[in-house]
Amino acid sequence: MIELIPAIDIIDGKCVRLSQGDYKRMTTYNHDPLEVAKEFQDHGIRRLHVVDLDGAKAHHIVNYKALERIASRTSLIIDFGGGIKSDGDLEIAFDSGAQMVTGGSIAVKNPEIFLSWLDKFGYEKIILGADAKDGKVAVGGWLESSDKELIPFIDSFVKSGVRKVIATDISKDGMLQGPSVDLYKKIIAQIPDVYLIASGGVASVDDIEKLELAGIPAVIFGKALYEGRITLKELLRFL
C-alpha cells in the first residue's frame, strides 16, 4: 500500500501553497497549521511533510515554532524541510519535534555536510530532497537552478547511503494536472534501492492509484486536499 503524506507548507506561520514554487503565486488556506494537522490525524493520517518556505528563502530555519506546535499536539510522524543548512538547523528541527529532516539545497551545495548527517543521525532520519526543473536539480526554495541532472544526482547519494528521496517535478507542483508518473517509474527502474516519495501534481485519488500501480512507495500531496479535489474520506481505502 502506498504511503500517504499530506503536506503543510508554511509562510508567516500560516498554511499556504505555491504554484510551481513561485512565491508570488501563493494561496493561504489556513492561519493555523495545527488545525490542519489535527484534521489529518483525525482521519487516520499518520505521516506529515512540513515545509518552511520562509526558511528555504532565508537559508535557515524560520518557522520552527509552528513545527513545535504540530509535533507537541499531534502524534503525526513529521519530516521537516526548508532552510536546513547546518548542524544547528538540524538540531532545532529535531528539538522542535521532527522525526525526519529533508535536505535539498544543502545536498547540492555542500554534500559533505549532508553526508555527515547520515553518519551522525542514520539514514532513517535524513531524507534527500531532489527537486527538478527541466530535468535539472533546483535549489534555494526552487529559486535557483543547478547544472546537476536529476537521476544521476539521486543515484550518487543512494550509493553514499541515502535511502529515502523526495522527488518533485516543479513544473507539476501546485498545478493539479497530474504527477510525473513516467519520471518516477524511470527513477525506480534505474535506482531500485531507493524509497521514492513522489511529490507534485497530484489532483485526484486516481493519481494516487496510478502511482501505487507504478510501484511508487509513497506520495506527498497538498493542494488537491485544500482545493477539495481529494477528500480525507476518500483516502481511507489507502490507510
Side-chain angles (χ1 to χ4, degrees):
M1 194 69 76
I2 193 167
E3 184 178 26
L4 303 181
I5 311 175
I8 292 180
D9 294 352
I10 300 174
I11 288 180
D12 292 332
K14 303 179 184 99
C15 176
V16 307
R17 292 298 283 175
L18 308 181
S19 294
Q20 295 180 317
D22 187 345
Y23 283 74
K24 292 175 184 171
R25 298 161 69 193
M26 180 184 86
T27 305
T28 301
Y29 289 101
N30 196 306
H31 285 255
D32 187 1
L34 175 60
E35 277 184 15
V36 180
K38 280 183 172 177
E39 190 177 4
F40 292 158
Q41 179 173 275
D42 289 346
H43 283 81
I45 296 290
R46 295 184 60 249
R47 278 277 278 109
L48 186 64
H49 176 64
V50 178
V51 182
D52 180 358
L53 289 173
D54 290 315
K57 230 177 172 181
H59 307 297
H60 60 84
I61 286 185
V62 174
N63 286 295
Y64 61 90
K65 288 290 183 188
L67 166 63
E68 196 170 53
R69 287 186 75 234
I70 295 169
S72 63
R73 300 188 195 187
T74 73
S75 59
L76 294 164
I77 298 164
I78 303 168
D79 78 81
F80 181 82
I84 308 282
K85 297 289 181 290
S86 67
D87 286 14
D89 288 325
L90 211 67
E91 284 165 17
I92 290 169
F94 286 136
D95 287 348
S96 299
Q99 282 97 332
M100 290 168 272
V101 162
T102 301
S105 300
I106 186 70
V108 176
K109 296 186 172 182
N110 203 328
E112 294 81 13
I113 286 182
F114 181 82
L115 291 172
S116 77
W117 296 344
L118 284 178
D119 293 334
K120 206 175 288 184
F121 299 98
Y123 68 84
E124 286 299 325
K125 289 194 167 187
I126 305 297
I127 302 172
L128 175 68
D131 307 319
K133 201 171 191 175
D134 302 322
K136 300 284 178 72
V137 177
V139 295
W142 301 349
L143 299 173
E144 310 165 44
S145 291
S146 75
D147 60 355
K148 296 186 183 300
E149 297 284 342
L150 179 66
I151 294 178
F153 173 76
I154 293 172
D155 189 43
S156 68
F157 278 96
V158 170
K159 284 173 177 167
S160 296
V162 166
R163 285 293 170 267
K164 297 178 181 179
V165 176
I166 297 172
T168 306
D169 182 344
I170 295 168
S171 69
K172 300 280 190 181
D173 193 73
M175 301 307 290
L176 299 174
Q177 293 173 355
S180 294
V181 179
D182 289 342
L183 171 64
Y184 303 131
K185 283 166 79 172
K186 196 183 289 186
I187 293 170
I188 288 279
Q190 293 188 35
I191 316 169
D193 291 339
V194 71
Y195 187 86
L196 185 66
I197 304 166
S199 172
V202 170
S204 66
V205 167
D206 286 348
D207 287 332
I208 295 174
E209 286 178 343
K210 283 175 194 169
L211 289 165
E212 185 173 47
L213 283 170
I216 310 306
V219 58
I220 288 172
F221 53 98
K223 195 169 188 177
L225 272 176
Y226 301 124
E227 297 278 341
R229 305 283 193 98
I230 295 174
T231 66
L232 288 166
K233 195 174 179 181
E234 284 181 294
L235 298 175
L236 290 172
R237 74 177 90 161
F238 298 101
L239 298 170

